[in-house]
Every structure is written in structure tokens, then in C-alpha cells.
Amino acid sequence: MIKNWFKNIGPGPLVAAAFIGPGTVTVCTLAGVNFGFALLWAMGLSIIATVVLQEMSARLGLISQKGLSEIIRSEIKNPILKGLTILLILSAIVIGNAAYEAGNISGGVLGMETILGNPTVILAGFNLNILSVIVGIIAFSVLYIGNYKVLERVLVSLVILMSVSFLVTAFITQPNLSDIFSGLFVPQVSEENLLTIIGLIGTTVVPYNLFLHASLVKEKWHHASDLKYARKDTIIAVVLGGTVSMSIIISAAAIDTQNISSAADLAKGLEPLFGRFAKYFLAIGLFAAGITSAITAPLAAAYVATGCMGWSTSMKSKQFKAVWMFILGLGVLFSSIGFKSIEIIKFAQITNGLLLPIIAGFLLWVMNKSSILGKYKNTIIQNVIGCVIVGVAVFLGAKSILMVFEVI
């Protein structure tokens, strides 16, 4: 039974791996340190929204046997609208993932540094972090093989490692269960926690995962009869990913200080309270979160770019490899020399803020087209829930753009 379950698990854990990156770990850490268990409900809502959208994306990929960017290219008939949409998608996903890739690699490095220290070498006047290069080589090796089954096995293993690490860390802190349930089922919203709530939802409901999921599903399954496996895979993986995020919030809530700004600080803060094992488990979890995102971000960018440009979306094609190599190379370079381009990251945040409601809306529209999905198109209930999520996406997108411009 377990062997059969593993046989039919696939794209879901890769999607979970993509949204639990260093950014998510940091936001969850700050949520726990600053507000305790009070924002667990926001993560619960994020999980529900993510399951709904990712199920639509998976169903679209399985039934149409096309990626989301390929569907957009074929279904938007107006050339101007199509051009603007593709430009926005390429800006948000390709440039955005290039901007965030350095953070993904740096997150993996932070986990390693907690255990191994900080080995650097001076090259051409720059201090190069050796661990950034090591993380880059691991990601490069997995992607270069260009085999979906290998990619799946590596990432599923890393997700399991990450999940166990963060869950054990939360267990070590011995949280009060009644406080956890209160935080999970009693929403608390105030001016102080609103931006953190937006951050929690924004790092879980991720635009590029909608593209990634549709493309990965068609690599794994090819028949409508496999839809039940795709749905089960999506629900289990996203719920597990959300549970991991909650574990980070719970772990951070155990720290009795406000001088925590990252997961590395959290690891150091847990050590005197719960022993060095807490630090090591958290460090391993952070390493796994960083390296999985360092693999999935270039992968998603490659699927998006090749689909939008009408190129082959095969993992072995030259164009596909060129895109992910470009993203990964930039990430390793910026991470190893400690370069942080705030302007590029701000641009990525703006384009992602615009992209989520547009893609969620487009996905909802496509999911009602019988010409693409036939009897597998959305039900009325799915449409109602989808419309609510699109409304929330518009609100979040507007808020995130205003935050970048420091209007709020």
C-alpha cells in the first residue's frame, strides 16, 4: 500500500517545495516571534486557497496535456492583450525568479552555516561563499539530468527531510495545544499584524506554482483516469506544506525575544532553551527549504519561458536548459558575493502582485471552457470558491504593490 502511494505521489510535493522557501521560513518566523500562535488561521486559509487553485492547475495540465503558459498563448486571441500578458508573465516569473534565486540559495547556505560555519575565499577582490557554490552545483546536477523521475525523487526526499525537521523542532518546543487551536480557528486582525497576514498568504499562494504544477502534472500523468491521483497528491502535499509553515510559526513563538529577523536567528535562539538538537533540526530544515526552492524556481522559469515563446517544453531541450541555467547562474553569483539588488526584488514584487489576480482570473475563465476540459470543467461550487480567491488575490496584489511604493 505504501509502495503504491509513493508511486502515485509526484508534482504535489514539488509545489510544496516551491512555496516553502527561505522567504516563507522568514515570514513564518517573524509571525511566530511577534504574534505567537495568533496568525495560524491566516496560514489555514492560505492552505485552502492554495489547494483550490493548484487543483485547478493540475486538472488543466492533466486534461489538456499543456502547460498554463501554452494555454495562455493559444487561448488569448487579441494580439495586443496576448503580448501584454506574456510580457507580464515573463517579467514576473523569469525576472522575478532570478531575483529571488539568490535568496533561495542563501537560505540553503544559512542552514549549512549554522552547522559548518562560513567558509569563504577571496577571488578578484570579492569574498566568495563556498557553500553558495556547493548549493548551486547540487541544484545544477539535479536539473541537468533532465529526467522528471529523478527530479521528483530528489525533491520528494528533500521535502520529507524538511517536513520532519520542522515538525520535530515544533514538537521539541512543547507548545500548548489549546493555544494552537485558538490561533487556528479564531481569526485576529489588527493594524499591527495586517502586513504579516498579507506576507503569510503571499508566500503560500504563489503565481509561479500555478505554471509549475500544470507543466509537471503532464510529465507524470497522461490520462483523465489519473485525475484522482493528481487531486490526492495535491491535497496531501499542500496540507503537509502548510503544516510545515505552521510548525515554523509554532517554533518561533517559543522564543522569548524580539531580536529575531531570520530563521538563522531562530536556530540560535532555540539552542539555549531546548538544546543543540533544536538548532540542528531547524538548520537541516532551512537547508532543505533553500535547496528545494533553488531547484524549483529555475525549473518554473524554464517552463514559463519556453511555453510563452512557443519553444519545446521538454526538460532536455536546449532552450529549456538555457533558461534555468541563466536563473541558477545569477542566483549563485549574487548569493556567493553577497549582492542584493533591492530594485530588482521590488520590481519582482510589483509584477507578482499584478500577476496573481490576473492568472487566478484567467485560470478560472479557462476552467469553465468545455472546448479544453469537456466534462472536467469547474462545478458551480468550485467557481464560487474560485471567485472569492480571485477577489482576495486582487486585494493582496494591490496591497503588495502599495507596500513596495511605501504608500501603506
Side-chain angles (χ1 to χ4, degrees), residues 322-333:
V323 175
W324 68 251
M325 283 181 187
F326 173 73
I327 304 292
L328 181 60
L330 276 184
V332 172
L333 178 65

Side-chain angles (χ1 to χ4, degrees), residues 57-285:
S57 176
R59 186 162 24 114
L60 180 65
L62 178 60
I63 302 302
S64 70
Q65 285 295 295
K66 290 181 180 178
L68 184 52
S69 51
E70 294 168 85
I71 296 283
I72 288 171
R73 186 178 172 84
S74 63
E75 290 301 314
I76 299 179
K77 306 301 182 186
N78 184 298
I80 296 173
L81 185 58
K82 180 190 289 188
L84 289 173
T85 305
I86 287 175
L87 182 63
L88 176 61
I89 292 168
L90 290 173
S91 299
I93 307 296
V94 180
I95 297 174
N97 283 8
Y100 296 136
E101 182 67 356
N104 294 332
I105 292 171
S106 297
V109 168
L110 274 176
M112 294 171 77
E113 282 179 349
T114 307
I115 300 171
L116 302 175
N118 184 12
T120 57
V121 295
I122 298 174
L123 189 67
F126 289 103
N127 281 323
L128 292 182
N129 190 318
I130 300 298
L131 297 179
S132 293
V133 179
I134 291 172
V135 171
I137 290 170
I138 295 170
F140 181 91
S141 302
V142 173
L143 288 166
Y144 191 78
I145 292 168
N147 183 299
Y148 172 76
K149 286 187 178 179
V150 172
L151 180 76
E152 181 187 281
R153 285 170 187 163
V154 170
L155 285 171
V156 167
S157 301
L158 285 167
V159 167
I160 291 170
L161 177 67
M162 174 173 63
S163 304
V164 170
S165 299
F166 285 128
L167 289 168
V168 168
T169 305
F171 181 77
I172 288 171
T173 63
Q174 299 177 330
N176 185 306
L177 289 178
S178 63
D179 289 344
I180 289 176
F181 282 111
S182 175
L184 195 54
F185 296 108
V186 182
Q188 296 182 40
V189 182
S190 65
E191 282 188 22
E192 289 76 25
N193 67 22
L194 182 61
L195 293 183
T196 307
I197 292 169
I198 292 169
L200 288 172
I201 298 171
T203 58
T204 308
V205 189
V206 186
Y208 87 69
N209 268 347
L210 298 174
F211 292 91
L212 182 63
H213 206 170
S215 296
L216 290 175
V217 161
K218 67 185 180 65
E219 298 273 358
K220 175 80 175 180
W221 294 296
H222 307 285
H223 306 289
S225 58
D226 294 323
L227 187 57
K228 59 181 181 290
Y229 300 124
R231 280 178 170 152
K232 189 185 294 183
D233 173 61
T234 301
I235 293 167
I236 291 172
V238 173
V239 170
L240 177 62
T243 305
V244 168
S245 296
M246 288 182 185
S247 298
I248 300 166
I249 295 173
I250 291 166
S251 301
I255 302 295
D256 209 17
T257 176
Q258 300 300 304
N259 299 322
I260 305 286
S261 60
S262 70
D265 294 336
L266 177 58
K268 292 169 189 169
L270 285 172
E271 185 174 15
L273 294 171
F274 304 104
R276 61 181 180 171
F277 286 110
K279 180 182 84 169
Y280 289 138
F281 276 114
L282 196 67
I284 292 167

Side-chain angles (χ1 to χ4, degrees), residues 11-25:
L14 276 65
V15 168
F19 77 71
I20 308 174
T24 304
V25 175

